[in-house]
Amino acid sequence: MMDKIIGAFTFRKEVYKEVEDDASFTPTAWMIVAVVALLSSLGSGAVAARAIGARWIFGAIGGALFAVAGFALGVFVISWAGKTVFNADTSFEEMVRVLGLAYVWNAVGFLGILALLGPALTCISGPITFLAGIAGLVAWFIAAKEALDLEWPQTIGTVIIGWVVSLVVSIIAGLILAVLGLTSAGIGAALGGARF
């Protein structure tokens, strides 16, 4: 598994083709998404909360649940758009495997935890997290291209549609968490939960 994760971090397209064809990797892909979503939510919640506490932990768990739901919805939309609009030969499970592996880039969001050590460290973790979000989006493009077997313009369009859907879910999740009183995690999820 570490070879696959390293492959995702180094943009090796072969690793995505490998997991696309490996049905046994589906539970692992979901585990990657869940763990990375929790780590990212802990980091973004720390940026907003600047304190450790039950509200931060519960907010991070809630943010992670919404992030996994956003991931599932985004994957569904990408799979559906690829099949419906561009006649791609793919399935939801194949997309979960390749995009779940590409989701590892969101783990960099955990660096937000550095805000607990000092606000100045946010100046370091913020740009790194932003760049990791861009790298994660690139990884999604590469992974989706391998699974959809489409040309680049169709692949990019399909992924952008899925990304917009995930962004909307993240914003709604942030608002719901804020209304529930989990403001720090809610704001963190709204601002940082849609990274790929």
Side-chain angles (χ1 to χ4, degrees), residues 8-99:
F9 275 123
T10 56
F11 303 105
R12 286 194 348 248
K13 67 180 184 175
E14 312 83 48
V15 76
Y16 296 114
K17 189 50 94 178
E18 183 183 325
V19 299
E20 176 191 7
D21 299 329
D22 182 5
S24 68
F25 192 76
T26 303
T28 305
W30 282 113
M31 182 188 65
I32 289 170
V33 170
V35 169
V36 167
L38 180 60
L39 290 173
S40 184
S41 290
L42 285 168
S44 62
V47 169
R50 298 210 197 310
I52 295 176
R55 193 172 259 180
W56 172 57
I57 298 294
F58 288 122
I61 292 169
L65 291 174
F66 278 110
V68 171
F71 170 82
L73 184 59
V75 168
F76 173 79
V77 169
I78 290 170
S79 176
W80 175 84
K83 288 190 293 193
T84 305
V85 178
F86 301 113
N87 295 322
D89 182 24
T90 191
S91 69
F92 176 76
E93 290 79 18
E94 289 174 348
M95 296 305 295
V96 165
R97 291 191 292 269
V98 297
L99 297 177

Side-chain angles (χ1 to χ4, degrees), residues 31 34 65 68 72 86 91 94 97 117 128 130 134 136 142 149 151-152 161 176-177:
M31 182 188 65
L65 291 174
V68 171
F86 301 113
S91 69
E94 289 174 348
R97 291 191 292 269
L117 301 175
I128 291 171
F130 176 75
I134 292 172
I142 294 168
D149 297 318
E151 297 299 319
W152 276 111
I161 291 168
I176 290 171
L177 290 173

Side-chain angles (χ1 to χ4, degrees), residues 65-175:
L65 291 174
F66 278 110
V68 171
F71 170 82
L73 184 59
V75 168
F76 173 79
V77 169
I78 290 170
S79 176
W80 175 84
K83 288 190 293 193
T84 305
V85 178
F86 301 113
N87 295 322
D89 182 24
T90 191
S91 69
F92 176 76
E93 290 79 18
E94 289 174 348
M95 296 305 295
V96 165
R97 291 191 292 269
V98 297
L99 297 177
L101 182 59
Y103 199 82
V104 298
W105 277 97
N106 283 7
V108 176
F110 185 70
L111 289 177
I113 203 103
L114 294 175
L116 296 175
L117 301 175
L121 293 175
T122 304
C123 296
I124 296 169
S125 66
I128 291 171
T129 303
F130 176 75
L131 292 174
I134 292 172
L137 186 58
V138 169
W140 267 51
F141 288 136
I142 294 168
K145 177 141 179 38
E146 289 303 307
L148 295 169
D149 297 318
L150 298 173
E151 297 299 319
W152 276 111
Q154 292 96 351
T155 299
I156 291 170
T158 304
V159 170
I160 288 174
I161 291 168
W163 183 80
V164 168
V165 169
S166 292
L167 177 65
V168 169
V169 169
S170 292
I171 291 170
I172 292 170
L175 295 173

